[in-house]
Amino acid sequence: MYAVKANPSPDLLKVLWDNGITHYDTASIAEVRLVKATLPEATCCFMHPVKSEEAIAEAYFVHDVKTFSLDSMEELAKIVRATDGATDLTLCARLRVSSEYAKLSLGSKFGVGPGESKELLIATRQVADALGICFHVGSQTMSPDAYTNAMERARAAIVEAAVTVDVIDVGGGFPSAYPGMTPPPLERFFETIHRAFESLPISYSAELWAEPGRSLSAEYASVVVRVERRRGTELYINDGAYGTLFDAAHIGWKYPVQLLREPDSDARDMDFAFWGPTCDDLDYMQGPFPLPADTVAGDYFEIGMLGAYGSAMRTAFNGFGTGDTVVASDEPMLSVYLDDEIADVRTNNVVKL
Ligand SMILES: *Cc1c(COP(=O)(O)O)cnc(C)c1O
C-alpha cells in the first residue's frame, strides 16, 4: 500500500498506480474520496485507528472499503455499528511499538500496549473475516532492527491471545535519503522483515503487508524558491514553516539545496539559515543549508526531497502557500533507488509546463 498522507498529489497517485501499486492506505474519508476519484479501481484501506462512524459507514457502503485498523474495543464496536455488522471485513489491530530507531516518533498516540492486546485480538477475531496485526515503527527508521523488535511484539501478542492471524502489516517507516541521514539499503529492511515474518506463528497462507509513505514519495518533488532578501548568513525566501518546509522548521529536518543560476556561481559554499515569508518568528529553518557564498536576493534555488510531508503540509497562512506546479523529467537530488547505493545525482532540470 502507499500511505496517501505523505503526498496526496493525484499525479503521484497515478504514477504509483502505473507502476503496480493497487492498494492505498488512507487515514480520512477525504483521502478515500480522493483516491477513488483519481483511481476508481484502487483498493483503499482505512488505517487510522480512530475514525468517525460517518467516515466508516461512507467508506464501507459507498467506496467499498473492507479493511480497517483499530486499537480499542470502543473502535471495534463503532466499526460493527457503522457497517451494520458486516461479515466481510479485514480488521487490523494496531499494536503500540517503540519508535526508538525512527527520526520521527509515532509511538505514543496509537496502539494497544502489552497486556491490553489479548482481549482486543480475541474480540476482533470473532467479528473479522480476516484478522490482521499492524504497527508503525515511526517515520524514517534508520535501522532494520526497528522491525525485528516490532515483530517480536507481534509474536508475543499472537501467542498470548492464541488467535489465527491472516495479515501482518509492518506499516510505514521505510527511510529515504537526506543530508546527514543516509539509511542502510532498503533490501536490508526487506530481508529482516521477511525473515521475521517467516518465523511468526501465523496461518501458512497469511499475507505480509506494508504501508510506506515517505520512501515512495520523498524523491518525487522539489520546491524552487526565490531569495527575497539576504541578511548576513540568513536568506529570506518565499516558502517556509507554514509551507513545504514544516519539518525543516519544526524538527530541524535538512534537505539538499542547489542554486539555479546561469552561468553557475563559482563561489564556494557557505552555510545559510532561512526565514520563510510569513511575519512569524517561528517561520525559521536553521539548516544549515550550504549554498554559494555569493547568493543574493533575486536568486532561485531548488530544495530537493520534498515529495514526502512537504507539499502536503502547505497552508495559506498570511496569504502565502500558492505556487505553480511543473512536471520535470529529472533525477531526484538524492535517491535510495538509483544504483545499489545512494547516489548524489544532480543533473540539469528538464522542465515541462
Ligand atoms: C504515516 C503513516 C504511514 C506512512 O509512514 P511513513 O513513515 O511515511 O512510511 C503508514 N501507516 C500509517 C498508519 C501512518 O499513520
Side-chain angles (χ1 to χ4, degrees):
M1 285 186 251
Y2 168 61
V4 172
K5 80 168 188 283
N7 187 332
S9 151
D11 287 337
L12 174 59
L13 296 180
K14 286 181 202 144
V15 169
L16 294 169
W17 175 266
D18 289 342
N19 284 278
I21 296 189
T22 52
H23 288 55
Y24 294 80
D25 161 8
T26 45
S28 63
I29 194 65
E31 286 184 355
V32 175
R33 290 178 195 148
L34 171 76
V35 171
K36 296 305 277 191
T38 311
L39 308 168
E41 286 165 60
T43 303
C44 288
C45 300
F46 211 149
M47 303 308 282
H48 190 310
V50 182
K51 297 165 285 300
S52 77
E53 248 174 83
E54 294 89 336
I56 298 166
E58 181 182 330
Y60 181 77
F61 289 107
V62 180
H63 304 291
D64 208 27
V65 176
K66 309 273 196 223
T67 302
F68 298 87
S69 79
L70 68 153
D71 67 356
S72 66
M73 298 292 279
E74 218 181 311
E75 187 76 7
L76 180 61
K78 225 195 264 176
I79 292 170
V80 170
R81 264 197 313 273
T83 61
D84 264 346
T87 55
D88 57 355
L89 300 178
T90 296
L91 298 180
C92 298
R94 169 110 167 225
L95 303 183
R96 187 158 70 237
V97 299
S98 160
S99 272
E100 64 186 306
Y101 293 97
K103 292 290 179 184
L104 259 167
S105 173
L106 275 84
S108 310
K109 190 170 186 175
F110 300 128
V112 275
E116 311 164 300
S117 56
K118 180 177 176 183
E119 184 194 14
L120 183 65
L121 282 173
I122 292 171
T124 306
R125 176 74 274 177
Q126 285 162 0
V127 171
D129 177 39
L131 173 65
I133 284 190
C134 63
F135 51 75
H136 197 301
V137 293
S139 202
Q140 183 75 8
T141 55
M142 298 300 287
S143 164
D145 294 347
Y147 295 90
T148 317
N149 294 354
M151 289 294 232
E152 280 313 306
R153 261 290 287 132
R155 172 198 304 283
I158 295 166
V159 169
E160 190 193 17
V163 288
T164 305
V165 169
D166 310 294
V167 172
I168 298 288
D169 176 356
V170 299
F174 298 93
S176 190
Y178 301 91
M181 268 192 251
T182 304
L186 289 175
E187 283 68 24
R188 290 219 5 238
F189 288 78
F190 304 151
E191 285 159 13
T192 302
I193 289 167
H194 274 285
R195 214 174 312 121
F197 176 71
E198 293 299 334
S199 75
L200 285 180
I202 46 183
S203 76
Y204 78 99
S205 58
E207 293 183 6
L208 174 61
W209 296 4
E211 316 164 348
R214 177 185 303 281
S215 63
L216 287 176
S217 59
E219 298 176 21
Y220 173 70
S222 288
V223 172
V224 174
V225 297
R226 191 170 64 188
V227 180
E228 307 291 16
R229 186 195 165 190
R230 174 169 174 176
R231 185 173 81 178
T233 58
E234 300 163 343
L235 302 177
Y236 292 68
I237 61 176
N238 60 351
D239 200 0
Y242 297 90
T244 57
L245 298 174
F246 183 96
D247 283 348
H250 295 285
I251 51 175
W253 209 270
K254 299 203 183 69
Y255 298 93
V257 291
Q258 180 183 23
L259 190 66
L260 303 174
R261 192 201 283 167
E262 281 183 353
D264 277 345
S265 166
D266 52 16
R268 272 202 289 166
D269 279 356
M270 61 180 282
D271 285 342
F272 287 96
F274 301 152
W275 291 103
T278 71
C279 304
D280 193 332
D281 257 10
L282 268 179
D283 198 356
Y284 177 68
M285 286 62 64
Q286 187 169 14
F289 301 97
L291 283 164
D294 65 354
T295 300
V296 289
D299 273 330
Y300 287 85
F301 63 90
E302 177 179 359
I303 310 175
M305 308 303 284
L306 275 168
Y309 308 108
S311 40
M313 312 291 273
R314 190 183 288 159
T315 76
F317 179 50
N318 244 193
F320 299 100
T322 55
D324 296 326
T325 302
V326 298
V327 178
S329 48
D330 185 18
E331 301 294 0
M333 288 175 78
L334 300 169
S335 180
V336 293
Y337 298 106
L338 293 166
D339 301 321
D340 281 339
E341 317 174 343
I342 290 155
D344 186 344
V345 276
R346 302 193 175 189
T347 54
N348 287 324
N349 282 336
V350 183
V351 175
K352 186 174 80 203
L353 274 164

